[in-house]
Amino acid sequence: MAVRNIVKKGDEILRKKCKPIEVFDEKLGELLDDMIETLQGANGVGLAGPQVGTLRRLCVVYDEDLGFLEMVNPVIVKFSKKQERDIEGCLSCPDKWGYVTRPTKCVVRAQDRHGDEYEYRLSGLSARCACHEIDHLDGKLFIDFVDEFVTPEDLDKHTKKRKRK
Ligand code: NI
């Protein structure tokens, strides 16, 4: 396993549409392992293919109960009408934070490294994260959807408030 370099905003690769994965080989497994290690190293909750320089439809999402979920060819098949507005950030936009409105729950259908299909029922942070990562696969960044950017000071206040809950 190896930590990969995270592509930063300004790199064209982050704006391109990814291609579906059709070959489930050892290399795909290695890529997913590297993505999990990279995500852990960066202390993040999600990482998508383009962020490690590959234009393939895959991402890794951290869920509090389920751990690291590897998602190959992920599709959101259902999402709640109920939405929530919360602060979001991205490992590819290190200095940006802002409010984005997302569904509170979603169901993601995805394959694992062997090509087996699963459905994940996600809520809260991991639902938000899956939406954010799947956007990456279509060249979209969270900053496209932010209705209000926040300063690092605001972020501190927000984090403290969240911890008190
Ligand atoms: Ni991101």
Side-chain angles (χ1 to χ4, degrees):
M1 299 224 291
V3 170
R4 302 215 180 186
N5 188 39
I6 298 176
V7 174
K8 300 293 187 309
K9 189 170 74 76
D11 192 316
E12 273 302 294
I13 198 167
L14 293 175
R15 290 305 190 176
K16 291 186 175 155
K17 204 171 157 70
C18 295
K19 291 200 177 84
I21 289 170
E22 284 159 9
V23 181
F24 295 83
D25 58 5
E26 213 170 283
K27 269 196 154 179
L28 177 64
E30 279 171 24
L31 174 59
L32 284 160
D33 285 339
D34 285 357
M35 285 173 72
I36 291 171
E37 197 175 326
T38 305
L39 184 55
Q40 283 176 308
N43 206 16
V45 288
L47 192 66
Q51 294 184 278
V52 290
T54 178
L55 283 172
R56 293 194 280 169
R57 300 193 78 83
L58 84 173
C59 63
V60 175
V61 168
Y62 180 73
D63 178 88
E64 262 190 348
D65 300 320
L66 305 170
F68 290 100
L69 303 174
E70 53 188 49
M71 297 178 171
V72 176
N73 300 322
V75 180
I76 295 173
V77 290
K78 226 186 257 180
F79 55 85
S80 60
K81 275 190 193 148
K82 196 180 169 198
Q83 296 187 317
E84 193 177 36
R85 183 177 177 267
D86 205 353
I87 292 179
E88 221 167 281
C90 176
L91 293 171
S92 294
C93 314
D95 52 346
K96 300 267 184 207
W97 298 89
Y99 282 96
V100 182
T101 301
R102 306 264 193 197
T104 56
K105 290 180 184 178
C106 66
V107 179
V108 178
R109 185 179 298 152
Q111 288 164 283
D112 67 3
R113 66 184 64 199
H114 309 293
D116 295 324
E117 201 171 87
Y118 292 88
E119 276 193 4
Y120 300 104
R121 289 171 187 281
L122 305 174
S123 61
L125 181 62
S126 57
R128 172 172 294 276
C129 182
C131 293
H132 175 124
E133 301 315 324
I134 292 168
D135 279 345
H136 269 298
L137 306 183
D138 293 314
K140 297 176 201 161
L141 297 176
F142 88 103
I143 48 172
D144 306 341
F145 309 112
V146 167
D147 65 62
E148 183 190 354
F149 284 97
V150 298
T151 64
E153 293 78 41
D154 288 338
L155 187 67
D156 284 346
K157 277 184 231 159
H158 184 80
T159 312
K160 277 172 202 153
K161 204 165 77 190
R162 278 174 85 164
K163 275 184 184 157
R164 280 206 296 267
K165 275 184 189 166

